[in-house]
Each structure stands twice: as structure tokens, then as C-alpha cells.
């Protein structure tokens, strides 16, 4: 077995989840900063698809940032873990495939503290990517809440506001907003997309 996976101490998987604007990345950065203060060796990772605020930093919506390693696949994490690595932070975990569950589990079994942040549900209110599996294997879960822009109550859903029904659409302000269950409308984007689709008549007679 590679020296980087020699067991150091009991490991764990921590999942920070919630809707957009609930402070997931902010909480991840806060936890990593605590590790930095405690002089624990750490690494942070982000998926290459997320380039909203920075190419190589984890950035929260309130502009807190932390240098990170950009990876295409979850297993790329293995290339960077050293024997001294104690803590591994992973942001936007929903954009990885189910392989991230295996990677997080293996790292935890070999003594690493793995902190994973991600959207627990997508724009239709369904479990987002591997997040459901990660929550199932997590030792610690931190559920974050935003504020519903419609009523001011606690928000747990991510409302897509644009006419696009793609499964994955990376975006931020003006594309998504936080809503509570009562004001969440998972069909809004579908209706907007349908209303913008050209009619049969217009396609024949431009």
C-alpha cells in the first residue's frame, strides 16, 4: 500500500450541505482555517467545472477564498495526498460522480478527516449527484440554511430562474435563488424554456 494511505488515526467524513446561498463554502473555509490554525496539514480540492469566481480558488458568495487544487475526477485526489496530510476539503461535491463516495470512504478509513461541501438537492428538488450517498456514509452532517427571498423563512431549496432545463447549469446570482419548500417551483425553468421555444408556425414562416 502507498505510504500516503498508511493509517494515521481514526478518520471521518463530514458533509456540509444545503441549498445555494446557505453558506456551505463559507463553512468549509471556516473549518479549513481552524485546521490551519491548529497546524494540521491539509489539502483542498474543487471540480474543474466550477470557474464562477476563480480558476484555482474555493470562493464563497461573500468573497472568502482559499487556494485549492482543481481536479477533473475524484480519484485525482489520491495523486496529491501525502503521508502528512491530515485534512482534505472538497467543495462543490455534487459535480463529481459516485466515485467521490469511494474516495472519501477510503481516505477516512486511512485516518483522514474528509470535509465535503455540496448542494444536497438540484433545481428540481432531487438528490444532487452523489450527495445522497455521501450523506448516508457521513459521520457528521452540517445542514446549512439560507433565507427564502419570497417570505424570509428558512430556505432549503435552490430555485432556478432561467429558461434552461439542463441537468447541470453552473451559475450564481440572477440564475438561482434560495427558497423555502412552500415557494419552491421546480417546474419554473421548464415553463420558461417552453415559452421561449419557437412555435411550429414561426419555424415555417420566419
Amino acid at each position: 500500500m502507498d505510504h500516503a494511505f498508511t493509517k494515521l488515526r481514526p478518520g471521518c467524513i463530514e458533509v456540509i450541505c444545503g441549498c445555494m446561498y446557505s453558506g456551505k463554502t463559507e463553512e468549509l473555509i471556516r473549518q479549513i482555517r481552524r485546521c490551519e490554525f491548529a497546524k494540521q496539514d491539509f489539502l483542498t480540492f474543487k471540480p474543474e467545472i466550477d470557474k464562477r469566481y476563480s480558476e484555482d480558488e474555493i470562493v464563497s458568495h461573500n468573497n472568502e477564498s482559499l487556494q485549492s487544487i482543481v481536479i477533473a475526477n475524484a480519484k485525482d485526489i489520491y495523486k496529491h495526498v501525502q503521508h502528512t496530510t491530515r485534512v482534505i476539503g472538497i467543495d462543490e461535491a455534487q459535480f463529481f460522480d459516485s466515485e467521490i463516495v469511494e474516495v472519501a470512504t477510503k481516505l477516512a478509513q486511512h485516518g483522514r478527516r474528509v470535509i465535503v461541501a455540496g448542494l444536497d438537492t438540484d433545481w428540481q428538488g432531487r438528490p444532487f449527484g452523489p450527495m445522497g450517498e455521501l450523506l448516508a456514509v457521513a459521520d457528521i452532517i452540517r445542514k446549512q440554511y439560507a433565507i427564502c427571498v419570497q417570505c424570509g423563512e428558512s430556505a432549503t431549496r435552490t430555485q432556478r430562474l432561467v429558461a434552461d432545463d439542463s441537468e447541470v447549469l453552473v451559475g450564481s446570482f440572477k440564475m438561482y435563488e434560495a427558497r423555502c419548500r412552500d415557494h419552491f417551483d421546480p417546474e419554473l425553468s421548464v415553463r420558461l424554456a417552453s415559452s421561449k421555444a419557437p412555435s411550429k408556425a414561426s419555424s415555417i414562416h420566419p
Side-chain angles (χ1 to χ4, degrees):
M1 181 179 293
D2 189 281
H3 72 88
F5 292 101
T6 302
K7 188 166 183 176
L8 302 173
R9 63 187 69 186
C12 67
I13 298 173
E14 301 176 25
V15 176
I16 303 167
C17 66
C19 62
M20 287 190 70
Y21 313 117
S22 62
K24 300 180 302 301
T25 300
E26 183 180 350
E27 176 62 17
L28 174 61
I29 292 173
R30 188 179 77 86
Q31 292 295 327
I32 295 297
R33 292 296 187 204
R34 287 170 61 87
C35 297
E36 185 177 32
F37 184 76
K39 301 188 185 320
Q40 296 174 343
D41 194 2
F42 64 87
L43 295 171
T44 57
F45 298 88
K46 63 181 281 187
E48 63 180 9
I49 191 175
D50 183 19
K51 300 176 181 178
R52 289 170 296 175
Y53 299 122
S54 172
E55 292 282 342
D56 58 359
E57 290 181 313
I58 293 173
V59 183
S60 68
H61 293 300
N62 65 352
N63 291 320
E64 288 191 60
S65 63
L66 187 68
Q67 196 69 34
S68 65
I69 301 169
V70 180
I71 55 174
N73 304 293
K75 283 189 176 178
D76 291 342
I77 291 173
Y78 293 147
K79 302 174 186 176
H80 302 276
V81 176
Q82 301 297 316
H83 179 69
T84 56
T85 306
R86 297 291 188 271
V87 182
I88 295 157
I90 306 168
D91 198 25
E92 304 294 350
Q94 74 277 356
F95 291 136
F96 293 108
D97 59 23
S98 59
E99 187 177 74
I100 189 69
V101 182
E102 175 190 335
V103 171
T105 300
K106 182 175 181 180
L107 290 168
Q109 287 173 340
H110 290 88
R112 271 68 181 190
R113 179 188 178 194
V114 184
I115 312 173
V116 182
L119 291 165
D120 48 3
T121 57
D122 63 14
W123 62 280
Q124 291 183 297
R126 303 173 302 190
F128 202 152
M131 290 301 292
E133 290 182 77
L134 282 167
L135 287 165
V137 301
D139 300 284
I140 299 170
I141 296 172
R142 293 187 175 88
K143 177 80 170 183
Q144 304 285 113
Y145 299 92
I147 301 298
C148 177
V149 299
Q150 300 292 314
C151 67
E153 296 296 326
S154 292
T156 57
R157 301 292 189 273
T158 300
Q159 180 68 58
R160 185 178 287 184
L161 303 173
V162 295
D164 192 311
D165 57 3
S166 305
E167 183 176 356
V168 175
L169 178 64
V170 181
S172 187
F173 299 108
K174 297 185 179 180
M175 294 178 67
Y176 295 97
E177 65 184 19
R179 291 194 185 184
C180 66
R181 183 184 292 272
D182 285 345
H183 290 105
F184 176 59
D185 181 0
E187 301 300 322
L188 177 60
S189 285
V190 177
R191 292 199 305 273
L192 290 172
S194 297
S195 67
K196 286 192 173 185
S199 67
K200 187 176 295 186
S202 64
S203 63
I204 297 173
H205 303 286

